[in-house]
């Protein structure tokens, strides 16, 4: 991306790393032929280094408690799809320690996990890569997750619900409220063991600076701490929010950054207006930067990109309908579109989901970022 046309440093670009890509049939048309490669450290570090050297500002890592599936909420028996993923916290530690990528956004489930453990995990990552860690709290939309981990039962969405964000949000509204409390609890826990309490010489620790939280008994999550990890650099928080009240309110209340999901029905201007209005009405709104989340299929020409998408859909046996806008075209045209969003609507950045990582990820690094 020619950032000279977008006010240098003010528009940030992220690459969403996920398996061999975000299209369900990405494995079939990927340059990766050995399934085990997707679970090797070298695979992820090579992408971290490529992104960093190509000028990508951040990468994101996904979390998931259930195996991926082509039909939401229903397990399948597919043999030609990527299934499974490395733990995102472990992968993030690897990227932070061995690559120069500027930021790693780590997804972590908040519906079936403990805030103390997540607070300690993120604090540990921040110690490895100070200033380079962002946490994306993830609400469990898939009721299968509860069975997988033995957690409390959650509302069950129907497959048709996933195409209507307001249905998802209404059915999961209690989980979104819990997520807000969860994030606040994690942030409070990060204050229980400040790195300033560490000393030197004969004194290792100023013990009076390390203390549990004073609980009132009304907290949704009663983790008191203190943490076992000293916290010098507090990770930022990012929320992926589909177009509905509950996720927008969660983002406005606790997130430093929100990824919105534009579509034909809800273009960027409409999403920005809606989110900013909800943020205005949210008590103690934190001041949230707005980024777009966009799936991409890129090509040498628009026709080439369309042909690539057709081949992917043929391989999958159905038409891919991601939960956000799908851009199909050249990197040059995508650059113009992103510049327009930034200049006209004040968008702070974008996260791109490559359909096939070995093709679209390479084009993002080599053709979009300059």
């Amino acid at each position: 991306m020619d950032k000279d046309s977008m006010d240098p440093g003010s528009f940030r670009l992220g690459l969403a790393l996920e398996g061999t890509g975000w299209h369900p049939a990405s494995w079939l048309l990927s340059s990766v032929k050995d399934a085990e490669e997707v679970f090797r450290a070298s695979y992820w570090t090579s992408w971290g280094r490529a992104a960093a050297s190509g000028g990508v500002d951040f990468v994101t890592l996904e979390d998931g408690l259930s195996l991926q599936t082509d039909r939401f909420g229903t397990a399948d028996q597919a043999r030609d799809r990527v299934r499974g993923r490395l733990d995102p916290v472990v992968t993030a530690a690897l990227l932070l320690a061995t690559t120069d990528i500027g930021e790693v956004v780590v997804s972590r489930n908040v519906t079936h996990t403990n805030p103390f453990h997540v607070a300690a995990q993120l604090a540990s990552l921040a110690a490895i890569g100070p200033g380079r860690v962002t946490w994306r709290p993830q609400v469990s939309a898939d009721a299968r997750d509860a069975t997988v981990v033995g957690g409390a039962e959650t509302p069950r969405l129907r497959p048709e619900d996933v195409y209507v964000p307001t249905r998802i949000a209404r059915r999961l509204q209690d989980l979104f409220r819990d997520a807000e409390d969860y994030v606040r609890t994690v942030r409070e826990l990060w204050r229980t063991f400040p790195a300033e309490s560490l000393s030197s010489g004969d004194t290792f620790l100023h013990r009076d600076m390390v203390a549990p939280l004073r609980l009132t008994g009304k907290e949704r999550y009663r983790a008191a701490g203190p943490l076992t990890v000293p916290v010098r650099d507090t990770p930022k928080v990012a929320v992926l929010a589909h177009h509905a009240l509950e996720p927008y309110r969660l983002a406005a209340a606790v997130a430093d950054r929100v990824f919105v999901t534009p579509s034909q029905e809800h273009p960027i201007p409409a999403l920005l207006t809606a989110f900013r209005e909800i943020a205005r009405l949210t008590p103690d709104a934190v001041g949230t930067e707005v980024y777009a989340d966009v799936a991409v299929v890129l090509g040498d020409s628009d026709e080439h990109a369309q042909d690539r998408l057709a081949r992917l859909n043929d391989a999958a046996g159905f038409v891919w309908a991601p939960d956000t806008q799908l851009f199909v075209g050249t990197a040059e045209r995508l650059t113009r579109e992103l510049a327009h969003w930034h200049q006209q609507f004040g968008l702070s950045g974008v996260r791109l989901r490559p359909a096939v990582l070995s093709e679209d990820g390479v084009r993002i690094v080599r053709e979009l970022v300059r």
Side-chain angles (χ1 to χ4, degrees):
M1 179 181 298
D2 182 0
K3 293 188 177 182
D4 289 341
S5 65
M6 307 182 69
D7 302 328
S10 65
F11 189 87
R12 303 181 72 241
L13 185 142
L15 178 63
L17 300 178
E18 169 71 336
T20 55
W22 287 78
H23 194 286
S26 61
W27 163 256
L28 295 173
L29 297 177
S30 171
S31 63
V32 179
K33 299 305 178 186
D34 180 1
E36 289 190 4
E37 184 175 344
V38 181
F39 299 95
R40 290 176 182 147
S42 57
Y43 179 77
W44 297 94
T45 54
S46 65
W47 275 110
R49 291 180 183 126
S53 63
V56 170
D57 296 298
F58 63 92
V59 297
T60 67
L61 301 172
E62 300 304 303
D63 195 9
L65 302 180
S66 301
L67 287 177
Q68 303 95 313
T69 179
D70 285 349
R71 185 169 172 80
F72 180 82
T74 305
D76 61 32
Q77 302 301 316
R79 299 188 178 194
D80 57 357
R81 307 283 199 265
V82 172
R83 295 293 181 260
R85 52 168 67 90
L86 293 179
D87 185 284
V89 171
V90 176
T91 308
L94 185 68
L95 295 180
L96 291 166
T98 63
T99 78
D100 293 327
I101 189 65
E103 179 187 3
V104 180
V105 180
V106 187
S107 301
R108 207 49 166 169
N109 184 282
V110 299
T111 306
H112 299 295
T113 57
N114 182 289
F116 179 90
H117 294 144
V118 170
Q121 290 167 353
L122 272 294
S124 298
L125 290 178
I128 296 171
R132 298 165 61 202
V133 179
T134 294
W135 169 40
R136 181 170 80 83
Q138 186 179 60
V139 172
S140 270
D142 192 337
R144 294 181 303 153
D145 292 349
T147 302
V148 170
V149 302
E153 186 175 339
T154 58
R156 184 170 296 276
L157 298 178
R158 297 184 296 268
E160 58 269 22
D161 290 339
V162 301
Y163 298 106
V164 186
T166 51
R167 287 186 188 175
I168 298 175
R170 287 168 187 165
R171 291 182 187 276
L172 303 182
Q173 60 181 342
D174 289 342
L175 299 186
F176 280 105
R177 293 194 189 102
D178 289 348
E180 182 178 334
D181 292 338
Y182 191 113
V183 174
R184 294 186 191 282
T185 299
V186 167
R187 279 186 162 146
E188 287 294 310
L189 287 169
W190 283 335
R191 296 169 51 195
T192 61
F193 191 168
E196 291 76 16
S197 63
L198 299 177
S199 188
S200 60
D202 293 338
T203 301
F204 182 88
L205 181 70
H206 296 294
R207 192 63 183 82
D208 58 321
M209 298 178 67
V210 181
L213 300 174
R214 295 181 179 178
L215 302 180
T216 65
K218 298 179 181 179
E219 293 84 359
R220 169 68 176 82
Y221 298 98
R222 299 184 181 182
L227 285 185
T228 55
V229 183
V231 181
R232 181 176 304 280
D233 181 78
T234 303
K236 292 185 177 181
V237 175
V239 167
L240 173 65
H242 296 97
H243 187 55
L245 172 62
E246 288 80 1
Y248 278 2
R249 189 191 181 286
L250 171 65
V254 300
D256 303 287
R257 181 188 313 167
V258 61
F259 296 109
V260 296
T261 54
S263 65
Q264 221 171 14
E265 296 79 15
H266 301 108
I268 281 292
L271 297 188
L272 290 174
T273 298
F275 176 75
R276 287 166 178 164
E277 178 61 17
I278 290 171
R280 187 182 67 82
L281 297 172
T282 299
D284 301 322
V286 295
T288 307
E289 290 186 326
V290 182
Y291 286 53
D293 206 38
V294 180
V296 297
V297 179
L298 301 175
D300 297 331
S301 64
D302 288 348
E303 293 75 16
H304 178 223
Q306 291 288 353
D307 288 344
R308 287 192 58 235
L309 177 59
R311 288 184 61 207
L312 284 163
N313 288 341
D314 286 345
F318 57 86
V319 175
W320 185 34
D323 58 355
T324 192
Q325 178 173 327
L326 173 59
F327 176 91
V328 184
T330 65
E332 181 180 2
R333 187 161 67 83
L334 177 57
T335 297
R336 292 197 299 269
E337 181 76 1
L338 297 179
H340 174 68
W341 286 354
H342 173 62
Q343 294 164 358
Q344 296 298 313
F345 310 123
L347 203 68
S348 297
V350 66
R351 179 179 82 144
L352 298 179
R353 306 184 198 174
V356 181
L357 194 53
S358 61
E359 175 75 20
D360 301 292
V362 169
R363 288 181 181 273
I364 288 169
V365 171
R366 294 181 179 175
E367 300 176 20
L368 190 68
V369 183
R370 295 197 295 272

